[in-house]
């Protein structure tokens, strides 16, 4: 009973096991009992929790169906993520592990105390009080050398598939790095044990390099306790947003996850001041969530709708923006019309991403795209913002064993700043450059 | 199990699911549904809108004198296609021969336990967990341990001919939640079974005796059942995605007294399964009639 011996590999929670843990007759009945015993919340709140459980099951089933394989899947839902974390942890249950050919250990759930289990589950389903936001103490950007090199990993916190390969590639890179940046997401919900096993213990530290981690929806699903309480101290990071600059560039990491896919007023005031102090420097933003997407429905409307932040965006003061959240690598071929931003999605560093929306796209042509299977995404207008044509990384993922053909490749980005120049590289999971472009 | 056996747990879970998709015209109801599924509390106005939509799209109608009521009117709301109204009229006619074969199962103290229906001469099908309640888990029926009341309609009186003792256990499914019990079913018509399970979206109806189950249905209970519990009722719904082989998922409005209700296909009046459990706002579950036939 209770927590198990720590498994040797990261744990994958499949729909089959979640269904057994919260969708079985025993689980349902005892959850109902736990609900009935809870006198702290009213019937509407109970109804939302119970309806939410059904939705969790539905979303997890859909996610696995979309994936078409027993791999790590992570719907954008706090309760689903917390339940996945709970099952993976072995808390209040008997857990066995079965090796999955595609990577990781499948958590095989069982319990002989459904009542106790349901009580724990019920508490996980109730609203969490998030960790207080931890902000930087200054709006003065920290220094970076005029010539510097930055590794950008997005949605890397699986501990599985291409993620360890990317870690090794960054660690073994012959050239030094000045900044190693994670765009966020430690699965399933960024609990302490998950942050330890899937992130901190395997993060590719390099001598002389600063480590920085952005907040994300999955880390906030557990309330952000481990992100704020473990990751930030481990990285010596003052707050969940930050700024660095040299003589030509100002690089700003934003926290657009504490308020899900949105930004708070105080952070916008800080950002406005950092941008003011940047003078003529070019501004590059980094965040977990995207400003927009040319493939997915989820857009950053709450970001561009913020009065202050929206005004900054419309001023076209932002030169480039690197984000994750969507588990693809997407490179827009020009700045978008409304905001004038060179936008890039680097969210392909560890999560399995189905090829369903990209496999049918036409192969990108031209010398820049010869080193990998890049596909053209046609120009599209998103909520009144004409987006230019983009290329998206396609092909098979050689690190999801036995399921290679179902998922797009993993990789990361490297930014080389040299005076006024910014050259970006997209690298494969093993470090080969598969795309590069000097933006200026 | 902390005093709560799996059987008892199952008995307590029967649920109102509501429609998976809300018509475009019902924006307030859609907002309420999305809020609930996201674990957020809808506004009272949104909840009211959803309550109306659930009642109208997943209606529960009474049976009177062996006849199914008409579906409730959806005045000023385009919530029900003409085809469904026509199909319901046809079903009212086809089902007339079978509705008298569905009865309320009661324990030795005449307390409502579940639902059963005639599947052959002297044979009644219900859930195994209903038998467990009647027999205190022994799965053997003592004399007087249970009975089936074939009428039990709203505001109607049962005659002696409407009531039959459950006298013995004929068969227990080794895996699925089904038992066959013996009772004097007189001349009541056994239901007609259909092979295979319907596809997702097919219209189906459960006929049974919903009980008042606020614990598992914290919302919508009173409006959906109009405060009429324990009496013979029919609930219209649809087969849900995920249905396969012997498991049928559906969204007919059911509560704990519906255990063992036959699940009719609206278009044919044949029985496709036996209702067994459910989960509020997610899905109800039935076992395919093929599993019943295997016991006969």
């Amino acid at each position: 009973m209770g927590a198990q011996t720590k498994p040797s590999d990261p744990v994958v929670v499949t729909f089959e096991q979640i269904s057994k843990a919260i969708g079985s007759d025993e689980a349902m009945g005892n959850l109902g009992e736990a609900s009935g015993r809870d006198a702290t919340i009213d019937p509407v709140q109970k109804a939302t929790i119970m309806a939410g459980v059904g939705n969790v099951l539905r979303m997890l089933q859909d996610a696995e169906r979309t994936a078409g394989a027993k791999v790590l899947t992570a719907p954008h839902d706090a309760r689903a993520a917390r339940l996945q974390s709970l099952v993976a942890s072995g808390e209040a249950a008997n857990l066995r592990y079965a090796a999955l050919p595609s990577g990781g250990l499948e958590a095989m759930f069982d319990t002989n105390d459904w009542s106790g289990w349901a009580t724990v589950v019920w508490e996980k389903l109730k609203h969490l009080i998030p960790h207080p936001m931890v902000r930087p103490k200054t709006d003065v950007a920290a220094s970076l050398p005029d010539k510097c090199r930055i590794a950008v990993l997005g949605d890397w916190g699986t501990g599985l598939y291409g993620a360890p390969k990317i870690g090794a590639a960054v660690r073994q890179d012959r050239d030094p790095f000045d900044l190693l940046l994670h765009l966020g997401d430690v699965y399933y919900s960024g609990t302490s044990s998950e942050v330890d096993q899937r992130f901190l213990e395997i993060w590719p530290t390099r001598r002389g390099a600063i480590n920085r981690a952005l907040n994300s929806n999955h880390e906030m699903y557990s309330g952000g306790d481990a992100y704020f309480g473990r990751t930030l101290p481990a990285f010596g990071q003052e707050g969940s947003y930050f700024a660095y600059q040299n003589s030509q560039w100002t690089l700003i990491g934003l926290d657009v996850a504490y308020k899900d896919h949105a930004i708070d007023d105080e952070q916008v005031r800080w950002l406005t001041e950092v941008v003011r102090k940047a003078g003529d420097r070019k501004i590059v933003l980094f965040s977990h969530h995207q400003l927009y997407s040319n493939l997915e429905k989820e857009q950053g409307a709450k970001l561009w709708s913020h009065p202050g932040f929206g005004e900054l965006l419309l001023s076209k003061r932002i030169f480039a923006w690197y984000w994750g959240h969507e588990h693809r690598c997407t490179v827009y071929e020009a700045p978008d019309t409304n905001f004038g931003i060179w936008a890039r999605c680097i969210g392909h560093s560890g999560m399995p991403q189905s090829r369903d929306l990209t496999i049918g796209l036409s192969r990108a042509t031209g010398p820049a795209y010869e080193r990998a299977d890049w596909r053209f995404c046609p120009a599209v207008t998103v909520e009144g913002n004409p987006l230019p044509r983009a290329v998206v990384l396609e092909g098979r993922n050689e690190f999801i064993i036995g399921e290679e053909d179902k998922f797009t490749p993993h990789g990361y980005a490297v930014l080389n700043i040299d005076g006024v120049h910014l050259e970006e590289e997209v690298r494969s999971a093993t470090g080969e450059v598969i795309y590069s472009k000097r933006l200026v | 199990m902390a005093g709560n056996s799996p059987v008892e747990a199952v008995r307590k879970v029967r649920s109102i699911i509501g429609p998976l998709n809300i018509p475009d015209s019902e924006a307030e109801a859609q907002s309420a549904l999305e809020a609930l599924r996201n674990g957020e509390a809808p506004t009272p106005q949104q909840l009211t809108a959803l309550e109306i939509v659930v009642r109208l799209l997943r209606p529960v109608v009474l049976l009177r004198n062996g006849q199914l009521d008409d579906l409730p009117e959806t005045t000023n709301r385009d919530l029900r296609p003409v085809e469904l109204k026509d199909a319901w009229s046809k079903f009212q006619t086809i089902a007339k021969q079978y509705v008298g074969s569905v009865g309320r199962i009661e324990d030795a103290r005449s307390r409502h336990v579940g639902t059963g229906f005639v599947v052959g001469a002297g044979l009644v099908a219900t859930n195994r967990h209903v038998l467990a309640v009647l027999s205190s888990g022994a799965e053997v029926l003592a004399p007087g341990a249970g009975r089936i009341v074939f009428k039990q309609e709203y505001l109607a009186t049962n005659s002696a001919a409407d009531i039959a003792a459950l006298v013995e256990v004929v068969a227990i499914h080794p895996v699925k939640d089904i038992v066959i019990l013996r009772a004097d079913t007189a001349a009541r018509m056994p239901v007609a079974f259909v092979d295979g399970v319907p596809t997702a979206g097919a219209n189906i109806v459960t006929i049974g005796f919903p009980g008042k189950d606020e614990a598992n249905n914290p919302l919508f209970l009173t409006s959906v059942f109009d405060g009429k519990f324990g009496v013979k009722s029919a609930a219209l719904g649809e087969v849900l995605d995920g249905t396969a082989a012997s498991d049928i998922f559906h969204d007919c409005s059911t509560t704990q007294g519906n255990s063992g209700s036959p699940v009719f296909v609206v278009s044919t009046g044949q029985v496709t399964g036996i209702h067994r459990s459910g989960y509020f706002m997610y899905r109800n579950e039935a076992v395919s009639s093929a599993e019943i036939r295997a016991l006969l």
Side-chain angles (χ1 to χ4, degrees), chain B residues 57-124:
Chain B
L57 284 180
R58 294 294 174 267
V60 176
V61 303
L62 295 171
L63 287 100
R64 302 174 210 261
N65 297 317
Q67 177 66 43
L68 283 159
D69 273 1
D70 293 335
L71 294 176
E73 288 298 321
T74 63
T75 312
N76 297 327
R77 288 172 184 265
D78 182 21
L79 297 179
R80 194 169 298 142
V82 173
E83 302 80 47
L84 182 56
K85 293 174 189 167
D86 294 343
W88 183 257
S89 297
K90 186 179 165 195
F91 179 71
Q92 283 174 304
T93 305
I94 303 173
K96 191 170 172 56
Q97 61 189 316
Y98 301 124
V99 294
S101 303
V102 182
R104 181 171 114 151
I105 291 181
E106 299 178 347
D107 67 7
R109 295 165 62 186
S110 302
R111 290 178 302 194
H112 180 194
V113 178
T115 299
F117 57 101
V118 177
V119 293
L123 300 176
V124 168

